[in-house]
Amino acid sequence: MNKRILDKDIQQFIKANREKSPSIIALKKSPFPDVSSSELAAQIDGWQRSVRKLPTWAFSAPIYYPDKINLEQCSSEHTALVKQTLIKKGARVVDITGGFGVDSCYMAQEAEVVIHCELNENLSEIVKQNAIELGVPNLICIATDGVAYVDQQKDNSLDYIFIDPSRRVNHAKVFLLEDCEPNIVGLQNVFFQKSHIIISKLSPLLDISAALQKLRHIKRIYVISVDGDCKELLFVQERNYEGEAVVSAIRIFQDQLQSHSFTIQEEKVTLIRASDPLHYLYDPDVSITKAGAFKTIAKRFDLYKLHQHTHLYTADNIKDHFPGRIFEIQEVYTLSNFKKKNEIYQANVATKNFPVKVADIRKKFKIKDGGKDFLYFTTDMTGNHIVIHALRTR
């Protein structure tokens, strides 16, 4: 870490040039003898990435940005704020896999102390410096192995253990929970000896049902999406908890938060009603579909499903606060009629419970991408393939 970067003259240069291409900055000679062009370019690149991911940080105190990979792997401020709500006032937290420290900084705003463990000494130093700039004095950074640190603590001395296990081991991507590092499946006994609650941030690609089989005492599961992209899963385990886990699908869209909570048993026993397309079409957010809330979302908003396996919904009126996109239906075609009558040659094409890929549909019907029209190729309540032409209302 080159602390010279935080000096006023360097920060002024970065601010004056932060809208420029980092590659152009890297190729020019640095105006500072003790800061290289590549270092300046890396800070400008870091700022540009943070504008989207960490806007509060980008426009507040001088932040020292780490390597690109650390920024790519860190949480956004939106998802960090969700984790902050899980921490009780005055708690003692250990972040075993600290990284760039975004989650640690936000949890520290509720906790008495957050211990940020990070093996990379340079990254640990960066987080420590940023915590000072951001005014987070109760974030303690230790360049150490987080699992070893927890193992050295007295039993019951921690309130929370937070962990974001790596899905890359020896440069290869792993898919099983027990193959991640650290292995949170194998470490559960140790963690529960030291802490009352374990919060694990897991990949959105993880099979939730598989995790439920391998992790014990799961009290809450959070499926978090930001602007239509499923970002992460949070599993909250509480020592000795034996009840049913509550699943919360959290949709963060245009800085607004929507939440739908249910239990797996509730989803299982909920009855659905099917209907032909009515006046409005409802397409649920990815957080809803990843969480598996296919029936409870219909019940909650008094909607009909188009088909048992078609995760599209319909109603004759607008359902405010529905977590997803809402469309006004213009026309419904059978697939054969669409072939004969179609006069739409530019549209946003989507498929739900339909055997043909979007790319093949575009090619077959000569439909260009974009525009205000939406075409949903799907299956109706009687099993027939249909095409729904719709316009988005919200």
Side-chain angles (χ1 to χ4, degrees), residues 22-23 41-43 45-47 49-50 52-53 65-74 100 123 126:
S23 58
Q43 292 304 304
D45 179 74
W47 183 86
R49 291 173 186 274
S50 291
R52 299 186 295 272
K53 202 170 190 178
Y65 295 103
D67 292 340
K68 186 190 301 184
I69 189 168
N70 301 127
L71 273 171
E72 290 173 347
Q73 293 175 345
C74 77
F100 187 37
L123 184 56
I126 288 171

Side-chain angles (χ1 to χ4, degrees), residues 247-295:
V247 185
S248 293
I250 296 179
R251 181 200 190 206
I252 301 170
F253 183 73
Q254 296 179 349
D255 294 328
Q256 300 294 314
L257 187 148
Q258 296 172 301
S259 179
H260 172 72
S261 297
F262 63 101
T263 67
I264 292 171
Q265 180 62 20
E266 181 186 2
E267 175 68 22
K268 189 180 294 184
V269 302
T270 295
L271 299 176
I272 59 167
R273 300 171 300 165
S275 170
D276 289 324
L278 301 172
H279 192 68
Y280 292 99
L281 183 71
Y282 293 80
D283 187 356
D285 180 66
V286 64
S287 63
I288 297 294
T289 54
K290 176 63 183 180
F294 305 121
K295 295 189 288 184

Side-chain angles (χ1 to χ4, degrees), residues 32 105 109 127 161 191 194 220 228 272 284 325 359:
F32 310 103
C105 278
Q109 293 176 39
V127 175
I161 289 173
F191 289 169
K194 310 297 180 179
R220 298 295 299 251
I272 59 167
R325 300 187 297 179

